[in-house]
Amino acid sequence: MAHKLFNEDILEQLRNGTAKFELVSSAVPSVAATPNRNKSLFGIGNCSTLFFARIGSSFGGQSPAMKKLERFSVQKVTGDGRCLFRALVKGMAYNKGIVLNQREERENADELRMAVKEAVCENEGDRNLYEEALIAITVDEPLKRYCQRIGRSDFWGGESELLVLSKLCKQPIIVYIPEHEHRGGGLGSGFIPIAEYGSEFKKGSSRKAVRLLYSGRNHYDLLL
């Protein structure tokens, strides 16, 4: 029960934008993963998802996170509930030298959302390929309710969808937070990585990672 309450507290912080992050020296489990000594680091038999950060309550001026500080330009994404999916399709298109118009971006974003629904909700035979995502989903709500919600165009994507889409698209994805959010306010124009998905698809491939910026209130933009 204590583990469940702890997860609920963290998820609420992520939803309302009050979560703060600190860098860790070694990988830590997803907030959704249940510890199990007989399984791998994230509790499901593989280490394809790397977490560089965890929720933290306080930060010193010399936080190890600052050693990971990177500089990018921010490409704003429309905040219509599709922002995660919009940012992904926009980033994947950019890596191929393609520029999407607003209609194409919206349609492709909806295709990604429905691809997640098909993988998790409709294709029971392959559902076990996305066990990490299923754990993340069912920590917060029953799978049936999730499958009803994801069919709506204003569905907000997050960790669960990143876990699925990184595998479906064979796409490395890195999520960042703004430097000033790590500091708890004030100045700072850089970005700090907090999680990576699909890292296995970087090996022996020229496929570039898509970099997403997570900033407050569940909004994602694209970093270039």
Side-chain angles (χ1 to χ4, degrees):
M1 177 64 71
H3 178 74
K4 181 178 180 183
L5 290 174
F6 177 70
N7 281 342
E8 289 174 351
D9 290 342
I10 291 175
L11 289 167
E12 182 59 28
Q13 290 179 37
L14 291 170
R15 287 194 200 95
N16 63 31
T18 61
K20 296 180 180 179
F21 299 88
E22 60 184 346
L23 207 70
V24 292
S25 58
S26 58
V28 296
S30 162
V31 298
T34 302
N36 186 329
R37 292 183 180 179
N38 297 321
K39 296 187 179 181
S40 72
L41 179 64
F42 300 105
I44 61 152
N46 71 69
C47 293
S48 61
T49 308
L50 304 178
F51 291 86
F52 306 122
R54 65 185 173 194
I55 300 294
S57 58
S58 62
F59 300 92
Q62 302 299 320
S63 168
M66 299 309 294
K67 296 178 182 179
K68 291 281 188 178
L69 190 66
E70 299 179 43
R71 305 286 177 180
F72 300 100
S73 62
V74 179
Q75 299 292 310
K76 292 294 185 181
V77 172
T78 303
D80 61 354
R82 299 179 177 90
C83 62
L84 171 66
F85 305 110
R86 281 181 178 270
L88 273 176
V89 298
K90 194 170 183 176
M92 289 190 289
Y94 177 86
N95 286 346
K96 295 177 182 177
I98 300 170
V99 177
L100 302 175
N101 61 39
Q102 282 291 309
R103 179 183 58 79
E104 291 169 330
E105 184 182 301
R106 183 183 66 251
E107 290 176 352
N108 289 350
D110 284 341
E111 285 181 12
L112 280 190
R113 176 173 52 81
M114 295 309 291
V116 175
K117 181 181 180 183
E118 181 178 348
V120 174
C121 302
E122 299 172 10
N123 195 340
E124 294 185 19
D126 292 336
R127 187 178 292 168
N128 63 325
L129 297 175
Y130 309 104
E131 190 173 359
E132 276 180 289
L134 289 171
I135 292 172
I137 290 166
T138 54
V139 160
D140 198 36
E141 63 182 325
L143 182 61
K144 182 177 180 181
R145 181 171 179 270
Y146 171 87
C147 291
Q148 293 171 340
R149 290 197 308 109
I150 197 174
R152 298 181 350 217
S153 60
D154 61 349
F155 173 86
W156 287 22
E159 180 185 23
S160 305
E161 293 69 41
L162 289 171
L163 287 164
V164 174
L165 290 170
S166 62
K167 292 180 182 295
L168 274 178
C169 302
K170 294 181 169 54
Q171 175 63 59
I173 302 167
I174 305 174
V175 178
Y176 293 75
I177 59 170
E179 176 187 354
H180 66 82
E181 287 192 11
H182 164 74
R183 291 179 182 275
L187 301 176
S189 58
F191 307 97
I192 298 170
I194 60 169
E196 181 174 354
Y197 305 85
S199 58
E200 68 271 29
F201 301 117
K202 291 192 299 187
K203 300 173 184 177
S205 170
S206 59
R207 191 180 292 263
K208 297 178 181 178
V210 171
R211 292 176 167 83
L212 304 179
L213 175 63
Y214 177 85
S215 52
R217 303 289 177 184
N218 285 338
H219 184 72
Y220 288 88
D221 288 309
L222 177 65
L223 295 178
L224 298 178

